Amino acid sequence: MPFPPPPRTLTGPRRRSLLASAAGAALLVGCSTDGDDTENTAGSPSAAERARARATTDSETLLQHYDAVLAAHPTLAERLNPLRAEVVRHATAFGGSGSTPSSTATAAPSATATASASASAVPATASEALAGLAAAERSLADQRAKALLDVPGELARLLASVAAAGAGHAYLLTEDAK
């Protein structure tokens, strides 16, 4: 037994087709960019350039914090050097030099870093110094997680990755305090 024909024959596109086409067009528009991420408008840096510069500065400042703690508490070197090495890689990934007075993860902090340690008021106890580093890592991770919403693709992925690493560092720095 054959099926009866539909009650009326539709001409033109169906509603589902139009909705699918509109959704596809919206996706294509959302995925396209207006130009390079580093494009300038009237000589001012783009949002991506500003975010990258800020991330570089923040990583280098955090690196100085690690160096100050290491200068004040050299017994923490074994624990902090792997985390410090990651911070160096983060600074480099954002375009910084990744160097401070002690630019390798295994090197002892130099006299400049020692002077920086006394100027930045590193806590007297190792546990307080670790808590301070953990707070700095956590704060920076939160800041980067918020900033990634305002930057384009690749930089957003980098910020997200580094923010996750920073949150992991904060956890590792506070792990023994429990």
Side-chain angles (χ1 to χ4, degrees), residues 48-64:
E49 287 175 334
R50 288 189 308 272
R52 186 177 294 276
R54 172 71 187 253
T56 300
T57 301
D58 290 343
S59 290
E60 289 173 347
T61 299
L62 182 61
L63 189 56
Q64 290 172 355

PDB file of all heavy atoms in Angstrom, residues 48-64:
ATOM      1  N   ALA A  48      45.124  42.659  22.547  1.00  0.00           N
ATOM      2  CA  ALA A  48      45.970  41.468  22.667  1.00  0.00           C
ATOM      3  C   ALA A  48      47.398  41.850  23.040  1.00  0.00           C
ATOM      4  O   ALA A  48      48.012  41.189  23.889  1.00  0.00           O
ATOM      5  CB  ALA A  48      45.955  40.681  21.356  1.00  0.00           C
ATOM      6  N   GLU A  49      47.929  42.899  22.420  1.00  0.00           N
ATOM      7  CA  GLU A  49      49.289  43.334  22.751  1.00  0.00           C
ATOM      8  C   GLU A  49      49.384  43.799  24.197  1.00  0.00           C
ATOM      9  O   GLU A  49      50.350  43.499  24.890  1.00  0.00           O
ATOM     10  CB  GLU A  49      49.729  44.472  21.820  1.00  0.00           C
ATOM     11  CG  GLU A  49      50.040  44.037  20.417  1.00  0.00           C
ATOM     12  CD  GLU A  49      50.342  45.211  19.508  1.00  0.00           C
ATOM     13  OE1 GLU A  49      49.853  46.332  19.781  1.00  0.00           O
ATOM     14  OE2 GLU A  49      51.059  45.014  18.517  1.00  0.00           O
ATOM     15  N   ARG A  50      48.372  44.544  24.636  1.00  0.00           N
ATOM     16  CA  ARG A  50      48.366  45.014  26.026  1.00  0.00           C
ATOM     17  C   ARG A  50      48.255  43.845  26.998  1.00  0.00           C
ATOM     18  O   ARG A  50      48.949  43.812  28.010  1.00  0.00           O
ATOM     19  CB  ARG A  50      47.222  46.010  26.255  1.00  0.00           C
ATOM     20  CG  ARG A  50      47.451  47.360  25.589  1.00  0.00           C
ATOM     21  CD  ARG A  50      46.413  48.394  26.012  1.00  0.00           C
ATOM     22  NE  ARG A  50      45.041  47.951  25.858  1.00  0.00           N
ATOM     23  CZ  ARG A  50      44.318  48.088  24.752  1.00  0.00           C
ATOM     24  NH1 ARG A  50      44.846  48.663  23.695  1.00  0.00           N
ATOM     25  NH2 ARG A  50      43.059  47.678  24.711  1.00  0.00           N
ATOM     26  N   ALA A  51      47.410  42.881  26.673  1.00  0.00           N
ATOM     27  CA  ALA A  51      47.249  41.716  27.548  1.00  0.00           C
ATOM     28  C   ALA A  51      48.534  40.894  27.604  1.00  0.00           C
ATOM     29  O   ALA A  51      48.946  40.423  28.666  1.00  0.00           O
ATOM     30  CB  ALA A  51      46.088  40.855  27.073  1.00  0.00           C
ATOM     31  N   ARG A  52      49.189  40.745  26.463  1.00  0.00           N
ATOM     32  CA  ARG A  52      50.452  39.990  26.425  1.00  0.00           C
ATOM     33  C   ARG A  52      51.532  40.714  27.210  1.00  0.00           C
ATOM     34  O   ARG A  52      52.283  40.095  27.972  1.00  0.00           O
ATOM     35  CB  ARG A  52      50.892  39.773  24.976  1.00  0.00           C
ATOM     36  CG  ARG A  52      52.104  38.877  24.839  1.00  0.00           C
ATOM     37  CD  ARG A  52      52.439  38.633  23.384  1.00  0.00           C
ATOM     38  NE  ARG A  52      51.442  37.868  22.677  1.00  0.00           N
ATOM     39  CZ  ARG A  52      51.384  36.533  22.674  1.00  0.00           C
ATOM     40  NH1 ARG A  52      52.269  35.845  23.352  1.00  0.00           N
ATOM     41  NH2 ARG A  52      50.463  35.910  21.989  1.00  0.00           N
ATOM     42  N   ALA A  53      51.613  42.022  27.060  1.00  0.00           N
ATOM     43  CA  ALA A  53      52.611  42.797  27.807  1.00  0.00           C
ATOM     44  C   ALA A  53      52.347  42.709  29.306  1.00  0.00           C
ATOM     45  O   ALA A  53      53.279  42.559  30.103  1.00  0.00           O
ATOM     46  CB  ALA A  53      52.602  44.247  27.347  1.00  0.00           C
ATOM     47  N   ARG A  54      51.088  42.788  29.683  1.00  0.00           N
ATOM     48  CA  ARG A  54      50.726  42.681  31.107  1.00  0.00           C
ATOM     49  C   ARG A  54      51.086  41.300  31.651  1.00  0.00           C
ATOM     50  O   ARG A  54      51.619  41.167  32.741  1.00  0.00           O
ATOM     51  CB  ARG A  54      49.223  42.963  31.263  1.00  0.00           C
ATOM     52  CG  ARG A  54      48.662  42.706  32.641  1.00  0.00           C
ATOM     53  CD  ARG A  54      49.175  43.776  33.607  1.00  0.00           C
ATOM     54  NE  ARG A  54      48.790  43.489  34.962  1.00  0.00           N
ATOM     55  CZ  ARG A  54      47.863  44.148  35.629  1.00  0.00           C
ATOM     56  NH1 ARG A  54      47.219  45.134  35.054  1.00  0.00           N
ATOM     57  NH2 ARG A  54      47.592  43.824  36.858  1.00  0.00           N
ATOM     58  N   ALA A  55      50.786  40.261  30.869  1.00  0.00           N
ATOM     59  CA  ALA A  55      51.099  38.894  31.295  1.00  0.00           C
ATOM     60  C   ALA A  55      52.609  38.698  31.438  1.00  0.00           C
ATOM     61  O   ALA A  55      53.067  38.038  32.375  1.00  0.00           O
ATOM     62  CB  ALA A  55      50.517  37.894  30.303  1.00  0.00           C
ATOM     63  N   THR A  56      53.373  39.289  30.538  1.00  0.00           N
ATOM     64  CA  THR A  56      54.829  39.202  30.621  1.00  0.00           C
ATOM     65  C   THR A  56      55.325  39.876  31.897  1.00  0.00           C
ATOM     66  O   THR A  56      56.115  39.294  32.657  1.00  0.00           O
ATOM     67  CB  THR A  56      55.479  39.878  29.391  1.00  0.00           C
ATOM     68  OG1 THR A  56      55.022  39.217  28.215  1.00  0.00           O
ATOM     69  CG2 THR A  56      56.992  39.814  29.463  1.00  0.00           C
ATOM     70  N   THR A  57      54.850  41.094  32.137  1.00  0.00           N
ATOM     71  CA  THR A  57      55.253  41.837  33.337  1.00  0.00           C
ATOM     72  C   THR A  57      54.858  41.077  34.602  1.00  0.00           C
ATOM     73  O   THR A  57      55.647  40.973  35.545  1.00  0.00           O
ATOM     74  CB  THR A  57      54.609  43.235  33.337  1.00  0.00           C
ATOM     75  OG1 THR A  57      55.036  43.917  32.161  1.00  0.00           O
ATOM     76  CG2 THR A  57      54.996  44.030  34.561  1.00  0.00           C
ATOM     77  N   ASP A  58      53.641  40.542  34.626  1.00  0.00           N
ATOM     78  CA  ASP A  58      53.174  39.800  35.795  1.00  0.00           C
ATOM     79  C   ASP A  58      54.023  38.562  36.059  1.00  0.00           C
ATOM     80  O   ASP A  58      54.366  38.261  37.198  1.00  0.00           O
ATOM     81  CB  ASP A  58      51.707  39.398  35.629  1.00  0.00           C
ATOM     82  CG  ASP A  58      50.758  40.578  35.693  1.00  0.00           C
ATOM     83  OD1 ASP A  58      51.169  41.663  36.181  1.00  0.00           O
ATOM     84  OD2 ASP A  58      49.607  40.424  35.248  1.00  0.00           O
ATOM     85  N   SER A  59      54.380  37.844  34.988  1.00  0.00           N
ATOM     86  CA  SER A  59      55.222  36.653  35.155  1.00  0.00           C
ATOM     87  C   SER A  59      56.608  37.025  35.651  1.00  0.00           C
ATOM     88  O   SER A  59      57.179  36.345  36.508  1.00  0.00           O
ATOM     89  CB  SER A  59      55.329  35.883  33.830  1.00  0.00           C
ATOM     90  OG  SER A  59      54.101  35.279  33.519  1.00  0.00           O
ATOM     91  N   GLU A  60      57.166  38.110  35.123  1.00  0.00           N
ATOM     92  CA  GLU A  60      58.499  38.530  35.560  1.00  0.00           C
ATOM     93  C   GLU A  60      58.473  39.038  37.003  1.00  0.00           C
ATOM     94  O   GLU A  60      59.423  38.814  37.755  1.00  0.00           O
ATOM     95  CB  GLU A  60      59.064  39.556  34.595  1.00  0.00           C
ATOM     96  CG  GLU A  60      59.426  38.911  33.255  1.00  0.00           C
ATOM     97  CD  GLU A  60      59.848  39.883  32.169  1.00  0.00           C
ATOM     98  OE1 GLU A  60      59.650  41.103  32.334  1.00  0.00           O
ATOM     99  OE2 GLU A  60      60.360  39.403  31.138  1.00  0.00           O
ATOM    100  N   THR A  61      57.375  39.678  37.406  1.00  0.00           N
ATOM    101  CA  THR A  61      57.234  40.116  38.803  1.00  0.00           C
ATOM    102  C   THR A  61      57.127  38.904  39.725  1.00  0.00           C
ATOM    103  O   THR A  61      57.741  38.866  40.793  1.00  0.00           O
ATOM    104  CB  THR A  61      55.996  41.022  38.953  1.00  0.00           C
ATOM    105  OG1 THR A  61      56.179  42.167  38.113  1.00  0.00           O
ATOM    106  CG2 THR A  61      55.808  41.459  40.388  1.00  0.00           C
ATOM    107  N   LEU A  62      56.357  37.905  39.303  1.00  0.00           N
ATOM    108  CA  LEU A  62      56.237  36.674  40.090  1.00  0.00           C
ATOM    109  C   LEU A  62      57.599  35.976  40.185  1.00  0.00           C
ATOM    110  O   LEU A  62      57.971  35.455  41.242  1.00  0.00           O
ATOM    111  CB  LEU A  62      55.204  35.742  39.461  1.00  0.00           C
ATOM    112  CG  LEU A  62      54.928  34.446  40.203  1.00  0.00           C
ATOM    113  CD1 LEU A  62      54.391  34.709  41.615  1.00  0.00           C
ATOM    114  CD2 LEU A  62      53.934  33.598  39.420  1.00  0.00           C
ATOM    115  N   LEU A  63      58.349  36.000  39.118  1.00  0.00           N
ATOM    116  CA  LEU A  63      59.692  35.424  39.110  1.00  0.00           C
ATOM    117  C   LEU A  63      60.588  36.136  40.127  1.00  0.00           C
ATOM    118  O   LEU A  63      61.346  35.486  40.861  1.00  0.00           O
ATOM    119  CB  LEU A  63      60.279  35.530  37.703  1.00  0.00           C
ATOM    120  CG  LEU A  63      61.579  34.820  37.418  1.00  0.00           C
ATOM    121  CD1 LEU A  63      61.480  33.333  37.733  1.00  0.00           C
ATOM    122  CD2 LEU A  63      61.948  35.020  35.956  1.00  0.00           C
ATOM    123  N   GLN A  64      60.477  37.445  40.214  1.00  0.00           N
ATOM    124  CA  GLN A  64      61.240  38.192  41.215  1.00  0.00           C
ATOM    125  C   GLN A  64      60.810  37.803  42.630  1.00  0.00           C
ATOM    126  O   GLN A  64      61.643  37.740  43.538  1.00  0.00           O
ATOM    127  CB  GLN A  64      61.058  39.700  40.991  1.00  0.00           C
ATOM    128  CG  GLN A  64      61.730  40.196  39.744  1.00  0.00           C
ATOM    129  CD  GLN A  64      61.372  41.639  39.427  1.00  0.00           C
ATOM    130  OE1 GLN A  64      60.543  42.252  40.095  1.00  0.00           O
ATOM    131  NE2 GLN A  64      61.991  42.179  38.386  1.00  0.00           N
TER     132      GLN A  64
END
